[in-house]
Amino acid sequence: KAADWDADGTASLKTWLYRVAINLCIDRRRRVVPTPVDTLPETPTGGPAEVDGHYDRARWVARAVGRLPERQRAVLALVYYQGMSNGEAAEMLKLSVEAVESLLARARRALRATLEPLRDDLLKGS
């Protein structure tokens, strides 16, 4: 894909590389059945009750995020998990900053609505 990058274009090499990586991830996600969250390796500390609670909370959050529309998940991942600014995420996804902010707001509202019934259980692990 290196030949596709336009050095004189508007996108920096970093932005272009992120876009290529995001497109590859989206393509792979569409092709492969995701690994169930309960099979991912994690090493919580504490007794059996705390360990079970940790896995339950992780599953609930992962399921809620997984139910979000693809663009909301992408923006959420870039901003919250990759630590990008809204502007960087907007450039990466070829969206306006306002669109990124809107997608983040909708994702947060959807997560809040989905996870609100589990609020007390989720906060136990904090």
Side-chain angles (χ1 to χ4, degrees):
K1 291 282 184 181
D4 294 344
W5 180 59
D6 179 14
D8 297 330
T10 58
S12 70
L13 179 60
K14 178 182 173 183
T15 301
W16 179 81
L17 285 173
Y18 271 117
R19 185 73 243 171
V20 170
I22 287 171
N23 287 344
L24 286 171
C25 290
I26 290 170
D27 290 345
R28 286 186 182 160
R29 181 170 170 92
R30 287 179 180 156
R31 282 192 306 241
V32 178
V33 176
T35 303
V37 173
D38 55 354
T39 63
L40 296 176
E42 290 185 24
T43 55
T45 58
E50 288 181 44
V51 171
D52 286 344
H54 172 81
Y55 284 125
D56 287 342
R57 287 186 293 278
R59 276 188 224 116
W60 294 334
V61 172
R63 283 183 189 135
V65 170
R67 289 182 186 135
L68 293 173
E70 189 172 295
R71 289 181 358 141
Q72 289 179 21
R73 278 195 320 267
V75 169
L76 199 70
L78 291 174
V79 173
Y80 288 106
Y81 296 110
Q82 297 297 320
M84 290 185 181
S85 69
N86 290 358
E88 290 171 324
E91 185 178 352
M92 186 76 45
L93 298 171
K94 296 183 180 177
L95 299 170
S96 68
V97 173
E98 293 80 14
V100 167
E101 291 169 353
S102 176
L103 287 166
L104 282 173
R106 282 186 270 154
R108 286 191 296 259
R109 275 195 305 271
L111 289 174
R112 188 178 303 117
T114 302
L115 297 172
E116 182 62 33
L118 308 168
R119 184 172 192 249
D120 292 338
D121 289 326
L122 287 169
L123 294 176
K124 282 181 192 175
S126 299

